[in-house]
Amino acid sequence: TTSIQRLGAVNLAAVDEFEEQSKRKENLDAQHQDLYAALETLEAAMRKIDKETRSRFKVTFDKVNGDLKMLFPKVFGGGMAYLELTDDDMLDTGVTIMARPPGKKNSSIHLLSGGEKALTALSLVFAIFRLNPAPFCLLDEVDAPLDDANVGRFCRLVSQMSETVQFIYITHNKVAMEMATHLSGVTMAEPGVSRMVAVDMEQALAIAE
């Protein structure tokens, strides 16, 4: 009897409240299940993206590294250059350029001269460009920091690349101008009046001969 008295008054609406709360629980459980399923889908997508990213990065890295190893010795007439990962995790790693021109023992690009850095950077840019080459490539005074010897190397690189890509380059260097097949320039015959001048070098040489 004491136990029954402790229960207190009978809640006649308990059955209805139970049914209402049960429905609410079912609704919340369904939402929780939907959220859990969505979370699993997102995590699976993230794992797939991470795997694909690692794979694509590795393939791209190896391709660029191979082209850099091939282009650098052609530019410098020897030596070697390669890319090195700074971390084992492909998603977080950085990339270091290791370059050794012929006759030098330098290991990092930071220890090279300004001209050597510029040529090494150009080798890397062209190696990346070869991944998905466009019909033409525009260069804007990239030979400005180079001395005459390095300009010659730059010209060799562009000449070799021009077998598959048409180059349009802006330069003030006479050595670089000599390798062009077409020259276009701006002249000011009269003060304040600019005029475009274009020369087909092969045609000009034929006329001169």
Side-chain angles (χ1 to χ4, degrees):
T1 305
T2 305
S3 298
I4 294 175
Q5 290 176 348
R6 287 178 179 175
L7 290 176
V10 176
N11 183 4
L12 299 178
V15 175
D16 294 335
E17 291 178 0
F18 175 76
E19 291 179 355
E20 183 181 344
Q21 294 302 323
S22 294
K23 290 180 180 179
R24 185 168 182 270
K25 181 179 183 302
E26 289 176 3
N27 186 37
L28 291 174
D29 287 344
Q31 291 182 30
H32 176 268
Q33 186 61 35
D34 289 344
L35 290 173
Y36 185 76
L39 180 61
E40 284 189 329
T41 302
L42 287 174
E43 288 178 343
M46 289 170 63
R47 288 191 295 270
K48 183 178 180 181
I49 290 171
D50 286 349
K51 182 179 179 181
E52 183 73 14
T53 301
R54 287 188 177 93
S55 175
R56 289 194 177 191
F57 178 81
K58 184 67 168 61
V59 170
T60 302
F61 175 83
D62 291 341
K63 182 69 169 63
V64 172
N65 199 17
D67 285 342
L68 177 63
K69 290 178 180 178
M70 180 268 296
L71 288 173
F72 186 89
K74 288 185 176 181
V75 175
F76 284 89
M80 62 177 295
Y82 59 94
L83 300 177
E84 190 174 81
L85 299 177
T86 60
D87 197 293
D88 294 333
D89 188 352
M90 293 290 183
L91 296 179
D92 296 323
T93 186
V95 178
T96 300
I97 305 176
M98 310 299 287
R100 296 178 183 174
K104 290 196 173 184
K105 296 182 179 180
N106 305 65
S107 58
S108 172
I109 189 175
H110 302 294
L111 301 177
L112 302 179
S113 68
E116 289 169 338
K117 285 181 181 178
L119 282 178
T120 303
L122 273 175
S123 300
L124 177 59
V125 168
F126 284 148
I128 296 172
F129 183 79
R130 284 165 61 90
L131 280 175
N132 188 21
F136 65 90
C137 179
L138 176 63
L139 303 175
D140 187 1
E141 295 197 47
V142 296
D143 55 358
L146 306 179
D147 57 20
D148 288 343
N150 284 327
V151 168
R153 293 168 176 166
F154 162 74
C155 291
R156 284 200 302 272
L157 175 61
V158 172
S159 296
Q160 291 170 358
M161 291 286 293
S162 65
E163 295 176 1
T164 55
V165 179
Q166 182 178 4
F167 282 90
I168 302 171
Y169 61 94
I170 300 169
T171 183
H172 292 92
N173 189 288
K174 294 179 180 179
V175 177
M177 290 180 191
E178 289 176 359
M179 70 170 173
T181 57
H182 292 78
L183 287 176
S184 295
V186 179
T187 183
M188 191 178 290
E190 303 176 27
V193 180
S194 298
R195 188 166 63 92
M196 291 291 298
V197 177
V199 178
D200 184 323
M201 296 303 294
E202 294 181 357
Q203 188 177 30
L205 288 172
I207 293 174
E209 291 175 355

